[in-house]
Amino acid sequence: TGQVSELPAAVDDPGVLVMFPAAPWGSTEEIYDNLVDRIIERRLWRTARREPWILDVSREHLGGVHGGAHGFWLRVTDVQRIGDATAAVFEAIRDLPDRDRDLEIPEVLSARQNELLEGFESIDTRGRWCANFLQFTTHGQFQMRELTELHHIDRERLHERADRLRRNSGRGVRLVPSETEE
């Protein structure tokens, strides 16, 4: 936790990947982690609009459905900005939970509900979700469980999941372009 490794990689631009342990797929905790990640991603995009050295922001999930990791990837203009990018991730997390800024919650709730409904209409997405559901889930409600949870959001649970990120300093990997011979 709190460790940062540097890795020369086949990337066009330097960046940082900050990851945290993920809750199991389909669990209630995963639903709330997803919402917290969406709030953080929105904050990081607002920072990127102010800071031209941030080229891209994305949410990431790595590993298996029961023992993976979730977090954020920031691509930057210069390797010297990797430390600033790492700090930006933790700055976006720092004021979570912030009960005074709960206005972000309805926006991410709505976006996730729409994503679930649109995904159910997509043959490709529905097939993948059905396969995951049959393999990894312990309940029989398919999307209805998450949609019901999103409809009756437990703000205390959401704040608890956000607070977990503040207490866990995560693990970071700084990806720097490897030197290639021409």
Side-chain angles (χ1 to χ4, degrees), residues 154-182:
D154 179 346
R155 288 179 185 256
E156 287 304 312
R157 181 175 249 166
L158 181 71
H159 290 295
E160 172 191 309
R161 296 306 290 179
D163 193 42
R164 191 180 61 79
L165 292 183
R166 285 189 322 121
R167 290 190 318 266
N168 177 351
S169 44
R171 181 160 180 96
V173 177
R174 298 172 186 222
L175 296 174
V176 296
S178 57
E179 294 185 25
T180 58
E181 295 180 24
E182 295 187 33

Side-chain angles (χ1 to χ4, degrees), residues 3-180:
Q3 298 174 346
V4 176
S5 303
E6 188 164 304
L7 178 67
V11 294
D12 293 329
D13 301 302
V16 65
L17 184 63
V18 179
M19 303 300 288
F20 302 90
W25 188 90
S27 67
T28 302
E29 291 79 13
E30 190 260 346
I31 294 169
Y32 286 92
D33 285 353
N34 185 297
L35 295 174
V36 169
D37 285 356
R38 288 168 182 268
I39 291 171
I40 294 167
E41 181 184 33
R42 290 170 53 88
R43 291 176 180 187
L44 289 171
W45 272 115
R46 282 196 299 268
T47 301
R49 284 193 295 272
R50 288 190 317 266
E51 303 292 351
W53 51 267
I54 299 177
L55 299 174
D56 193 19
V57 172
S58 65
R59 278 182 295 130
E60 299 293 330
H61 184 87
L62 303 172
V65 296
H66 294 294
H70 68 107
F72 308 92
W73 163 248
L74 272 71
R75 196 167 53 97
V76 297
T77 58
D78 184 331
V79 71
Q80 301 301 319
R81 290 294 201 161
I82 290 178
D84 296 334
T86 304
V89 171
F90 288 103
E91 179 65 25
I93 293 169
R94 186 182 55 81
D95 62 352
L96 290 172
D98 183 355
R99 285 160 176 71
D100 296 331
R101 291 176 57 182
D102 277 354
L103 297 175
E104 293 170 310
I105 294 172
E107 293 173 6
V108 296
L109 281 174
S110 177
R112 180 60 180 155
Q113 288 167 331
N114 289 337
E115 183 180 276
L116 287 168
L117 295 172
E118 288 173 10
F120 188 72
E121 294 298 321
S122 162
I123 292 172
D124 178 54
T125 304
R126 183 177 17 180
R128 188 171 50 253
W129 279 351
C130 286
N132 285 341
F133 177 78
L134 292 171
Q135 291 181 64
F136 306 120
T137 307
T138 59
H139 60 82
Q141 298 174 328
F142 192 49
Q143 287 183 330
M144 289 307 299
R145 181 168 180 273
E146 185 169 356
L147 286 167
T148 301
E149 191 69 40
L150 294 173
H151 187 67
H152 303 287
I153 194 77
D154 179 346
R155 288 179 185 256
E156 287 304 312
R157 181 175 249 166
L158 181 71
H159 290 295
E160 172 191 309
R161 296 306 290 179
D163 193 42
R164 191 180 61 79
L165 292 183
R166 285 189 322 121
R167 290 190 318 266
N168 177 351
S169 44
R171 181 160 180 96
V173 177
R174 298 172 186 222
L175 296 174
V176 296
S178 57
E179 294 185 25
T180 58

